[in-house]
Amino acid sequence: MIPKLIRLPSFVWNRKSVFLTLLSSYLLIFLLPVSIGMVLYSKVEGMMMEHAERANTALLDQLRQTLDVRLREVEQASQRITLNPKLQGLLNSDGSEAPEDAYKLVEFMKDHLAQDRGRGTLISDAYLYFGASDTILSSSARTDTRTFFERIYPVEGLSYVDWKRQVLDSYHHRSYLPARQISSSDVGRRTMLTYVQSLPLVETKDIKGALVLLLDAAPVRSMLSQAAAGGGRVFIVNADGELVLGSEEDEAPDSGLLERIGGGSGRFELTDEHGREHIVTYARSDQTAWRYVLVLPEDLVLRSLQTLKAWALGLLLLCLLGGGLAAYRMAYRNSSPIRELVGFIRSSRAQVGGAWDVELGEFELIRETIEVSREEERRLRDKLAGQTPVLQANFLQRLLRGEVDPGAVTPESLRFMQMRFESDLFAVLFVRVGDIREFGGEASERQWALVRFIISNVCRDLLAEAHHGYTVELDRTTMGVLVNFLPEKAEKVQGAAAVSAGEGARRPERDGGRQPDERTAGRLEDELLEAAVTLQHVMRSRFGVQLTLGVSGIHEGLGRIGECTLEAARAADHRIVSGADTVIRFSDLREEEHHYHYPIELEVQLMGAVKSGDAEGVRRLLESIYALHFGSRRITPEMGRCLFFNMVSTLLKIVNGMSLQPADIFPGSFDPFKKLSLCETAEEMHAEISGLFLTLCRYMKARSSDHSQLLLQAIRDHIEERYGDGGLSLTSIADAFHITPQYLSAFFKKQQGENLTDYVAKVRVGHAKRLLRDKRLTVTQIAHQVGYAADIGLIRVFKKITGTTPGKYRETAGEEAL
């Protein structure tokens, strides 16, 4: 915006100019106190928010403590009644007591139930329920449950069945049920909280009765309204996430509020359906497990904070505008000398025909003018030095292949390539790199290069003490290490003469060389083997890279290096038999066997196990063949591949002999010989051939199981056709298919995965759901149509499977239809 208004020359606004550097510095210095002010403002905002949160939390804690005291009185009244010795005898009464016993009931009511009314507690009324006689005793009446519900205390929104099930018949331990409207001729229409304690106290299943205390919700709602004064709302939520009571009558919390309440206490922000932001604070009572929720509009809480924010933003904009103009003026004035110097340098270059990068910064231009000659010299020197590793790598590759004339190698040529040979004893390590995904995830070229670099450095460090070695990359996964033994090692082992002091090192042999004695070679090979094992351990434990190393024999003379390479490569190739991540010496391969054991009798046995579908027998035979050749014996890699190819031919004999189509058995393209050729170890080939045989074995077994599927489908069809028959049972179905009930039960459980009786019940419930949508049919009629003699049988099974009763399901289905 500023450059468009002032319209300065374009070079002033160069992104690498000194002017912009100074302007940025001044702006940073100017923005430092502004940033501190913003941080201070955020702290003030946080403190005000924290103060509001503490006030809301303290308000909820005061409300919780007050209500806990009032509710503790309710629980004390409950204890006086439930712990009374006379109550146990009343619970066992069946309603047929004599007149004097009936008088005892009335006396009990007067002594214990009516005394807690009108004493300043929340208890509005109380009654006892006796399940054995279906009797309710209140402070003013004794009657049955239906009469009590319909005439004395009817509950709005609940039927008699639901009220009796939820309040009287269900197990409750000091339970507070959500507030509901109760209309009666005695008390009129009032909102009541219901406190329920199942009797006797020690029983959780054999419930004989219940104590019910009706609590007046008006005083509680008055407390909530006082806490919500100022425009907020207060709700009480029980442990099940249900609304118990609100500060306003017929007022429900916003959608999504109850789902977000969890834990002991907390605070979160909520947006209502009108887009208005609210701050929700809640606290939990340990006595009742209720959560008291306070919902306040955010603009009501943060009114003073918003005023402060408006002033702060106005002052911030004013400071930014004034400080920006002052920083611009100072930067422009102080950058003038540098601009003049840069202009002089550019004009001088133009006079001598030089060129410069227009994107180059002013400071960079001055520095580049001073260092141009030194940089050119350094570039030439680095270019020359960069060719040395390429020359060295090319020489080592030809040397390992035996393509170098030993007579043409001189100390001068070795020094030119930054190499030297300390003695004329040589060996070669062949390093094959396995899976590197554990090292760097994706096996990219960059990761491969990094792995080869690490191997090269680890080799150099391991061989530095006793040997002298050079590493060269042969291909992406293979590296060769040329090991040259130090003079003192070679002389100590060989007992050779001391090295001439004038030469400083023994001159390499110019002829083909000779083989050192066996004791010399053995000791040097042991040292080399130890270094190879250490290399493998370091790469596996520290970098997660698996290596297969081949160790050649010890040979003397440059002319024998090619022979060392062939021996090391042969040893490394033996990982097909020995497995990956191993160290193999060429000297250990002399006892290899050049034949394998796979007689016709074993092949016939394997073919029979596959055709019969005996997967365990096939697996056992394959494991025995693998253990025979690659466990206790050592065969050549070539013989190992021939063994697995012969086993593939056995597989093809089975497929072709039974006129099978490979596409129906094996997924994807069927080319077993190609898959085996891609395997690098015998273990991988064993896993591949085992997978092929077991797949064919499972296919053969599946062919024999079609009859079971047909029988299972016939049983399901039989049940679907006769589900309405009340005599449908395990025995009748078994008779229909001429099998025993025991076999039918075991067969259906194995094939279907569930019991036959459970499956029949699910089919009947499914048809009952369909019939329940027709409201002309009663539950009893539907029960008869789906095979039940009475509605109680359908209700029991329906609730067990669906979790609800048929009546509730019919109401839910009707609401969904609307």
Side-chain angles (χ1 to χ4, degrees):
M1 181 176 182
I2 295 178
K4 291 184 179 179
L5 294 176
I6 305 179
R7 297 190 181 280
L8 292 174
S10 60
F11 72 88
V12 176
W13 294 98
N14 190 313
R15 61 185 176 91
K16 296 184 179 181
S17 65
V18 176
F19 168 75
L20 288 182
T21 303
L22 293 175
L23 179 61
S24 302
S25 302
Y26 293 151
L27 287 177
L28 287 176
I29 296 174
F30 162 70
L31 290 176
L32 180 61
V34 176
S35 302
I36 295 176
M38 294 179 64
V39 173
L40 179 61
Y41 166 76
S42 64
K43 293 294 183 181
V44 172
E45 181 180 7
M47 292 173 62
M48 295 183 68
M49 288 293 296
E50 184 179 356
H51 176 73
E53 293 177 10
R54 286 200 301 268
N56 295 339
T57 304
L59 182 63
L60 289 180
D61 288 340
Q62 183 179 3
L63 175 63
R64 174 181 57 79
Q65 293 173 6
T66 303
L67 281 178
D68 284 351
V69 172
R70 302 296 298 274
L71 295 177
R72 194 175 295 114
E73 296 173 354
V74 175
E75 295 180 1
Q76 290 173 355
S78 171
Q79 291 178 1
R80 284 197 301 272
I81 298 173
T82 56
L83 297 178
N84 192 284
K86 296 181 180 180
L87 182 59
Q88 184 63 35
L90 297 178
L91 289 175
N92 296 324
S93 174
D94 58 356
S96 60
E97 66 276 357
E100 57 272 14
D101 295 329
Y103 176 76
K104 293 180 180 180
L105 296 178
V106 176
E107 184 182 29
F108 183 85
M109 293 296 302
K110 290 181 179 181
D111 293 343
H112 297 94
L113 294 182
Q115 64 177 344
D116 290 305
R117 300 179 58 186
R119 297 172 52 190
T121 65
L122 297 177
I123 301 176
S124 176
D125 203 352
Y127 58 88
L128 279 169
Y129 164 66
F130 303 101
S133 59
D134 193 34
T135 302
I136 287 183
L137 286 178
S138 68
S139 60
S140 59
R142 175 191 178 195
T143 182
D144 61 279
T145 56
R146 182 175 291 276
T147 303
F148 181 84
F149 176 80
E150 294 178 350
R151 296 187 178 184
I152 299 178
Y153 280 128
V155 181
E156 295 184 5
L158 282 180
S159 64
Y160 164 73
V161 175
D162 293 337
W163 170 79
K164 191 171 183 297
R165 176 177 53 83
Q166 295 179 11
V167 179
L168 302 181
D169 294 339
S170 299
Y171 174 75
H172 297 282
H173 177 66
R174 298 193 304 179
S175 300
Y176 293 88
L177 304 184
R180 289 187 177 273
Q181 295 288 340
I182 297 179
S183 301
S184 68
S185 58
D186 294 338
V187 299
R189 186 173 182 272
R190 298 174 62 180
T191 302
M192 294 286 188
L193 291 169
T194 305
Y195 172 90
V196 186
Q197 173 61 59
S198 298
L199 299 174
L201 296 177
V202 295
E203 292 291 340
T204 60
K205 296 182 180 179
D206 186 14
I207 301 173
K208 297 182 179 180
L211 169 65
V212 181
L213 304 180
L214 297 179
L215 311 181
D216 189 2
V220 181
R221 178 165 285 159
S222 177
M223 297 179 191
L224 300 183
S225 300
Q226 293 177 5
R233 295 173 294 167
V234 178
F235 303 100
I236 297 178
V237 181
N238 62 17
D240 297 329
E242 300 175 331
L243 177 64
V244 177
L245 190 64
S247 57
E248 298 293 336
E249 188 172 357
D250 299 330
E251 182 181 22
D254 297 328
S255 60
L257 174 63
L258 299 181
E259 289 78 2
R260 297 183 61 181
I261 296 176
S265 61
R267 172 191 174 275
F268 59 88
E269 296 181 358
L270 179 69
T271 304
D272 61 12
E273 57 185 6
H274 303 293
R276 191 178 183 187
E277 300 287 340
H278 294 78
I279 296 177
V280 180
T281 307
Y282 61 93
R284 182 179 181 274
S285 170
D286 294 334
Q287 178 176 338
T288 60
W290 283 355
R291 291 183 176 86
Y292 299 87
V293 185
L294 174 61
V295 182
L296 290 174
E298 188 177 28
D299 53 1
L300 181 65
V301 179
L302 304 180
R303 184 176 300 167
S304 58
L305 181 62
Q306 292 174 352
T307 303
L308 176 63
K309 182 182 293 185
W311 276 97
L313 291 177
L315 293 175
L316 176 63
L317 292 176
L318 182 62
C319 291
L320 290 177
L321 180 60
L325 292 175
Y328 172 80
R329 178 178 177 84
M330 294 173 60
Y332 183 79
R333 183 182 62 185
N334 294 333
S335 62
S336 298
I338 303 298
R339 289 201 303 273
E340 294 177 0
L341 177 61
V342 171
F344 173 77
I345 293 175
R346 289 175 175 172
S347 62
S348 300
R349 285 198 172 188
Q351 291 178 2
V352 298
W356 67 89
D357 187 0
V358 295
E359 296 295 328
L360 199 63
E362 295 171 345
F363 279 124
E364 286 77 5
L365 179 62
I366 297 173
R367 185 182 302 108
E368 190 267 345
T369 303
I370 297 174
E371 295 183 353
V372 61
S373 58
R374 296 176 57 189
E375 182 65 26
E376 185 68 23
E377 178 185 0
R378 189 183 306 112
R379 190 184 307 112
L380 292 175
R381 185 168 58 252
D382 293 343
K383 185 177 181 180
L384 180 62
Q387 300 301 319
T388 302
V390 178
L391 297 174
Q392 184 186 102
N394 179 266
F395 172 74
L396 286 174
Q397 289 178 358
R398 293 187 296 109
L399 189 61
L400 292 178
R401 291 195 297 264
E403 300 175 356
V404 175
D405 181 12
V409 179
T410 62
E412 291 76 13
S413 61
L414 293 177
R415 282 196 298 270
F416 174 74
M417 291 180 291
Q418 299 181 1
M419 296 177 61
R420 71 181 188 277
F421 293 142
E422 303 292 346
S423 69
D424 56 358
L425 289 182
F426 297 93
V428 172
L429 288 179
F430 231 64
V431 182
R432 294 191 184 275
V433 185
D435 190 4
I436 67 168
R437 285 176 296 181
E438 186 178 348
F439 169 75
E442 183 181 358
S444 61
E445 287 298 330
R446 181 177 180 274
Q447 297 297 330
W448 277 107
L450 184 58
V451 169
R452 293 192 295 267
F453 173 76
I454 294 174
I455 293 174
S456 177
N457 283 274
V458 174
C459 284
R460 183 173 60 252
D461 294 340
L462 290 176
L463 299 175
E465 296 183 1
H467 319 294
H468 195 69
Y470 298 97
T471 306
V472 62
E473 300 175 6
L474 301 179
D475 55 40
R476 184 186 186 189
T477 62
T478 308
M479 301 181 66
V481 183
L482 177 61
V483 182
N484 179 231
F485 296 92
L486 297 178
E488 54 270 20
K489 282 286 182 180
E491 292 172 3
K492 179 179 180 182
V493 176
Q494 289 180 280
V499 179
S500 172
E503 292 183 352
R506 295 182 61 185
R507 185 177 299 273
E509 293 288 338
R510 300 298 178 227
D511 55 8
R514 62 184 183 277
Q515 185 72 23
D517 60 87
E518 294 183 2
R519 186 173 59 180
T520 300
R523 293 181 179 179
L524 294 180
E525 284 184 13
D526 290 341
E527 294 183 2
L528 194 57
L529 178 63
E530 182 180 355
V533 171
T534 304
L535 170 63
Q536 182 194 50
H537 173 72
V538 170
M539 295 302 299
R540 181 176 60 247
S541 60
R542 296 188 181 181
F543 303 100
V545 177
Q546 293 184 352
L547 299 181
T548 301
L549 291 94
V551 183
S552 74
I554 308 298
H555 298 278
E556 188 173 3
L558 288 175
R560 304 291 297 276
I561 293 179
E563 184 177 347
C564 293
T565 304
L566 294 177
E567 293 179 357
R570 170 67 180 175
D573 289 340
H574 204 269
R575 66 174 180 170
I576 296 176
V577 176
S578 301
D581 199 25
T582 55
V583 178
I584 308 166
R585 291 195 302 184
F586 177 76
S587 58
D588 296 334
L589 304 182
R590 299 170 183 173
E591 300 179 357
E592 290 181 315
E593 297 184 2
H594 295 272
H595 66 278
Y596 60 86
H597 181 73
Y598 188 58
I600 187 65
E601 295 82 4
L602 184 58
E603 183 180 25
V604 171
Q605 185 180 359
L606 180 60
M607 293 173 65
V610 172
K611 291 179 180 179
S612 63
D614 184 8
E616 184 61 30
V618 171
R619 185 181 292 107
R620 186 168 54 254
L621 288 173
L622 295 176
E623 290 293 341
S624 64
I625 295 173
Y626 179 79
L628 175 64
H629 294 90
F630 302 99
S632 59
R633 302 172 58 191
R634 182 183 294 273
I635 64 174
T636 63
E638 293 79 10
M639 288 294 102
R641 288 190 180 275
C642 289
L643 171 62
F644 285 109
F645 288 153
N646 198 354
M647 296 173 69
V648 172
S649 67
T650 303
L651 183 76
L652 295 178
K653 289 178 184 178
I654 300 173
V655 174
N656 296 331
M658 301 189 68
S659 300
L660 303 177
Q661 294 297 326
D664 299 335
I665 306 172
F666 305 100
S669 60
F670 180 67
D671 192 354
F673 292 103
K674 181 179 180 181
K675 291 182 179 180
L676 287 180
S677 300
L678 296 177
C679 295
E680 296 184 353
T681 64
E683 185 177 359
E684 294 178 5
M685 288 188 283
H686 172 65
E688 184 67 33
I689 201 72
S690 297
L692 293 174
F693 272 97
L694 292 176
T695 300
L696 179 57
C697 184
R698 287 191 292 268
Y699 177 80
M700 298 299 296
K701 185 175 182 180
R703 293 182 64 186
S704 63
S705 62
D706 293 341
H707 174 71
S708 299
Q709 294 298 324
L710 293 175
L711 177 59
L712 177 64
Q713 185 60 41
I715 295 173
R716 290 198 294 253
D717 294 342
H718 180 83
I719 295 172
E720 189 66 31
E721 293 173 0
R722 295 169 176 81
Y723 68 90
D725 185 2
L728 183 67
S729 63
L730 177 66
T731 303
S732 67
I733 299 174
D735 293 340
F737 288 93
H738 307 290
I739 56 179
T740 64
Q742 294 79 6
Y743 176 78
L744 174 60
S745 177
F747 171 80
F748 194 87
K749 175 69 174 179
K750 178 180 180 181
Q751 298 294 329
Q752 184 69 19
E754 59 181 330
N755 293 329
L756 180 64
T757 55
D758 294 340
Y759 180 79
V760 173
K762 288 184 179 179
V763 172
R764 287 174 169 172
V765 169
H767 287 282
K769 289 182 179 179
R770 174 177 55 81
L771 296 174
L772 283 170
R773 297 183 180 274
D774 187 356
K775 295 186 177 181
R776 295 173 298 179
L777 298 175
T778 64
V779 175
T780 303
Q781 291 174 334
I782 295 174
H784 292 161
Q785 292 188 31
V786 297
Y788 290 101
D791 58 349
I792 189 171
L794 174 61
I795 293 173
R796 177 177 54 81
V797 175
F798 195 96
K799 185 173 182 181
K800 178 181 178 182
I801 294 177
T802 65
T804 184
T805 62
K808 281 293 184 179
Y809 178 82
R810 170 172 278 175
E811 294 177 4
T812 305
E815 294 175 358
E816 293 179 354
L818 294 177

